[in-house]
Amino acid sequence: QVQLVESGGGLVQAGGSLRLSCAASGRTFSSYAMAWFRQAPGKEREFVAAIRWTGIDTYYADSVKGRFTISRDNAKNTVYLQMNSLKPEDTAVYYCAARTSIVNYVPRVRNEYNNWGQGTQVTVSS
């Protein structure tokens, strides 16, 4: 089973940038998908971005399009989330997720992922 560890969170001013990393270990990647979700206090966990481990398909929530970019480095078994033009409403705990069963599209629903990291806090001040 794949293990996921997020890093790169922190405190940043509005308009700033952060780059989150999700390091995977335990087994090699195949055709499953990776995603970022986030959860703010008092809110449900929501989808942010996803990418298939193979191929180039990506999907973004409307709220982050044009500001966030998800990418992967197969050699490092790592998925990244580059976050630019951050807003206070981006403040949340960001979770990395993986789907380990075959998929030929980009899942963007929480229950389509079966492995989760511990989360990393992102705080955007104004």
Side-chain angles (χ1 to χ4, degrees):
Q1 183 170 318
V2 63
Q3 300 172 25
L4 306 173
V5 179
E6 303 98 330
S7 62
L11 175 65
V12 65
Q13 292 184 343
S17 298
L18 284 174
R19 183 179 177 87
L20 305 183
S21 298
C22 175
S25 62
R27 69 178 183 88
T28 60
F29 285 90
S30 58
S31 59
Y32 51 64
M34 301 287 291
W36 289 95
F37 288 75
R38 66 187 182 186
Q39 187 167 20
K43 301 288 187 178
E44 295 185 3
R45 195 169 299 183
E46 66 175 354
F47 173 81
V48 176
I51 187 171
R52 290 180 64 195
W53 197 241
T54 59
I56 59 173
D57 293 339
T58 59
Y59 194 91
Y60 296 91
D62 288 342
S63 60
V64 305
K65 284 182 179 178
R67 300 189 298 120
F68 291 10
T69 302
I70 187 170
S71 62
R72 56 174 165 82
D73 187 333
N74 291 25
K76 296 182 180 294
N77 292 327
T78 301
V79 174
Y80 304 96
L81 185 68
Q82 179 66 46
M83 305 184 295
N84 299 325
S85 301
L86 283 162
K87 305 174 181 179
E89 49 263 46
D90 294 319
T91 295
V93 176
Y94 283 70
Y95 296 90
C96 180
R99 178 186 174 95
T100 57
S101 58
I102 189 170
V103 61
N104 295 313
Y105 59 95
V106 183
R108 59 185 188 274
V109 178
R110 182 177 179 177
N111 62 12
E112 291 186 290
Y113 293 88
N114 59 292
N115 284 315
W116 296 83
Q118 83 288 349
T120 185
Q121 176 71 48
V122 172
T123 302
V124 184
S125 63
S126 61

